[in-house]
Amino acid sequence: MKVKIWVSLLCFFFLPPLSSVLRAEIIQLKNGNAMETKILKEDDEFVTIQAPGGRVKIPKSDIQILWRGPTADLLTVEGGQVFFAKGLELYKEGQFQDAVEAFEKALGPRATSAIIYANIGSAYASAGETKKAAENFLRALEEKPGNPDILLNLAHLYEASKDYKTAIPYYQKITALGSDQFIVDRNLAYCLYMSGDYLGAAKLFEKMGEKNDPVAVCNTAAAYIQAGELDRASAILAPLAKKPFPIPRIYLLMAEISRSRKDYSGAENYYKKALKNDPDLEKTKTGLGWLYLNMKDWAKAEAAFNEVLAKDPKSLGASRGLAQVFIQKGEFQKALSQYEKLAKKDPDDPAIASSLGLVYLKMNNPKVALEIFRGILDRDDGDAKAHSNAGLAYVLMRDADNALKEWNRALELDPKLEPALRNKKLLEDAIRGSRNEKTAPK
């Protein structure tokens, strides 16, 4: 079984509210008056502003809102409230739904709506309402198609929701604008990796690694390993492994290369070296567990995964590995329980859902399996593996026509998908054989 190697990101992202590049300072008094001014000085009791007649001190007790933000042209003042400013304040306080309402009241002339819609999108994103967030970011882009901040927030939103394929074109649009390349390239490379474009990811990681970035160099090797380019990965890692004190991740990647080459003793040796140098028990022991799975040593694999889970019950790699141990041992109910726990933690992860469906197939329950595969395809009809697995479910339900439809669709998406090619041929041969039997002379 192919194991996806982790790639490292230096940091993640946050969806802050957007503002215009034009700044202003606005004071709203408790009597309802609002003014755009220049704040000269501020202390615990007074705010000193620049007024037409000179400097004026205003007691803070008379001020409703003191706001430094986008120019007043972006604001709609109704009923004595500065709604856009209020939305920003509510957002900072974590009151995201209330911030949405304030921003919506601030919607004004079309020329300024893009910034408002972008902030509504940020508020929805922070509230966990991905669909509404995307709708508002897209509205903002309709008005300002080339705005890098809006593009970046939309790309981040899709990446955060693990919709990596959708995030990719937005990151690519930002790179075409010539924005700060490091952060965008890093996140674009990560999305390419997670969507299965390992060579595309390797190219970007390699570009970043030219700046003596060891994380990017390791990510380059990891991407080449996933792409099956083991010699290229080994050529990158070998000089680093010879250094007096190589970073522990080098050993883990070299172990993965050895494991892929079926050099299991060599892989085990690299994992042991990593254990001596790396306090991160989870990655090393999880890798060892998968190695023992390849070696069909179920007892050692189970022990390795359980050791990780005893320390970190949330480890996805160890949880999936343990489920695979149960499958190999024929303990399908235990495997089912393991995957159901994972699915509850992350119901939108297609890999977990797919594994759950395959367990139901092994338990001869194709109807439930098909429901799971159809659920994956409802979210992404371009998932070739889900179509291929749906074909298996239809075969077990004795529905050859729909099985062939699913495998044909899978091969449209991925002409080299081996399970779909193999199963389609077997079914077509079986159908031809059945027809020949019926037409043969008696």
Side-chain angles (χ1 to χ4, degrees):
M1 173 175 290
K2 188 76 171 176
V3 181
K4 183 166 285 189
I5 310 165
W6 83 99
V7 295
S8 297
L9 287 179
L10 297 180
C11 61
F12 205 52
F13 41 76
F14 174 63
L15 294 162
L18 298 180
S19 61
S20 167
V21 293
L22 298 175
R23 310 291 293 180
E25 294 168 323
I26 294 176
I27 291 177
Q28 181 191 349
L29 301 176
K30 291 181 179 178
N31 63 11
N33 293 327
M35 66 188 81
E36 180 180 351
T37 185
K38 182 177 181 180
I39 297 175
L40 302 174
K41 185 179 178 183
E42 180 182 351
D43 57 33
D44 292 339
E45 297 184 32
F46 295 95
V47 173
T48 303
I49 66 168
Q50 182 66 56
R55 298 187 176 197
V56 175
K57 271 189 175 182
I58 301 176
K60 280 198 168 180
S61 58
D62 291 342
I63 297 174
Q64 179 71 33
I65 294 175
L66 173 61
W67 173 62
R68 299 172 176 87
T71 181
D73 290 342
L74 296 179
L75 306 178
T76 298
V77 181
E78 297 177 5
Q81 291 184 329
V82 183
F83 291 112
F84 191 83
K86 189 67 175 175
L88 290 174
E89 293 297 326
L90 290 166
Y91 185 98
K92 292 174 184 176
E93 293 170 4
Q95 301 178 49
F96 303 121
Q97 292 294 347
D98 291 336
V100 166
E101 293 179 12
F103 286 137
E104 287 177 341
K105 289 177 182 177
L107 283 169
R110 181 172 177 78
T112 66
S113 296
I115 300 298
I116 310 289
Y117 280 128
N119 282 299
I120 294 172
S122 289
Y124 273 129
S126 296
E129 297 194 42
T130 302
K131 185 177 180 181
K132 290 182 179 179
E135 289 172 354
N136 282 280
F137 283 135
L138 290 169
R139 285 178 187 168
L141 277 182
E142 287 176 6
E143 298 181 25
K144 293 186 177 294
N147 184 290
D149 291 330
I150 299 172
L151 286 168
L152 188 60
N153 272 321
L154 190 54
H156 282 171
L157 176 73
Y158 286 124
E159 182 180 353
S161 57
K162 298 185 179 180
D163 189 354
Y164 303 110
K165 289 183 179 179
T166 306
I168 288 169
Y170 292 105
Y171 280 128
Q172 290 172 333
K173 287 179 182 178
I174 301 169
T175 60
L177 295 172
S179 302
D180 181 8
Q181 292 297 300
F182 178 79
I183 294 175
V184 176
D185 282 349
R186 180 201 64 201
N187 286 34
L188 174 57
Y190 179 75
C191 288
L192 289 168
Y193 183 95
M194 296 304 292
S195 66
D197 184 358
Y198 301 119
L199 289 177
K203 183 178 178 181
L204 276 176
F205 282 133
E206 200 160 18
K207 174 183 171 185
M208 287 180 275
E210 291 172 356
K211 298 180 180 180
N212 296 319
D213 181 347
V215 172
V217 171
C218 287
N219 285 343
T220 303
Y224 278 132
I225 291 170
Q226 290 295 344
E229 300 277 354
L230 302 182
D231 290 341
R232 293 178 76 172
S234 183
I236 291 169
L237 295 170
L240 300 176
K242 292 178 181 178
K243 290 187 175 183
F245 301 102
I247 60 175
R249 192 178 171 206
I250 301 294
Y251 291 129
L252 297 181
L253 291 169
M254 293 295 285
E256 179 59 22
I257 292 172
S258 296
R259 190 179 72 84
S260 298
R261 289 172 169 163
K262 297 185 173 14
D263 176 11
Y264 297 140
S265 62
E268 189 171 20
N269 183 48
Y270 278 121
Y271 280 126
K272 288 178 179 178
K273 285 183 178 180
L275 280 173
K276 290 180 180 178
N277 294 276
D278 191 358
D280 192 341
L281 179 73
E282 179 188 352
K283 290 187 179 73
T284 307
K285 283 289 185 178
T286 299
L288 266 173
W290 286 98
L291 173 65
Y292 293 138
L293 267 173
N294 289 145
M295 296 169 67
K296 303 186 187 307
D297 191 333
W298 317 134
K300 282 188 177 181
E302 187 171 354
F305 293 134
N306 278 327
E307 186 176 349
V308 175
L309 291 170
K311 185 177 180 182
D312 180 11
K314 295 181 180 179
S315 171
L316 291 178
S319 295
R320 290 178 176 177
L322 188 58
Q324 283 297 312
V325 171
F326 292 143
I327 289 172
Q328 297 301 326
K329 292 169 66 175
E331 298 175 356
F332 298 128
Q333 194 59 51
K334 287 185 178 180
L336 185 66
S337 176
Q338 194 72 16
Y339 277 124
E340 284 177 339
K341 289 177 185 176
L342 288 168
K344 284 181 181 178
K345 292 177 184 176
D346 196 348
D348 295 327
D349 189 324
I352 294 173
S354 181
S355 297
L356 184 60
L358 289 172
V359 174
Y360 276 111
L361 284 181
K362 290 181 180 292
M363 296 176 72
N364 199 28
N365 195 337
K367 288 185 178 180
V368 174
L370 183 60
E371 288 178 11
I372 293 171
F373 298 137
R374 295 307 324 168
I376 297 171
L377 293 170
D378 285 343
R379 292 191 294 272
D380 179 13
D381 188 61
D383 191 325
K385 290 181 180 178
H387 281 290
S388 180
N389 290 334
L392 285 174
Y394 277 122
V395 162
L396 292 176
M397 294 166 65
R398 300 183 182 278
D399 187 342
D401 290 339
N402 276 317
L404 286 173
K405 285 180 183 178
E406 292 294 343
W407 287 329
N408 284 331
R409 175 61 177 149
L411 292 170
E412 282 178 16
L413 296 165
D414 183 357
K416 296 181 180 180
L417 187 60
E418 197 274 332
L421 285 168
R422 181 184 66 248
N423 290 323
K424 181 187 175 188
K425 185 178 185 304
L426 288 171
L427 181 57
E428 287 175 336
D429 289 347
I431 292 172
R432 279 194 294 270
S434 178
R435 287 172 181 167
N436 290 338
E437 286 180 9
K438 289 181 180 178
T439 56
K442 296 181 180 180

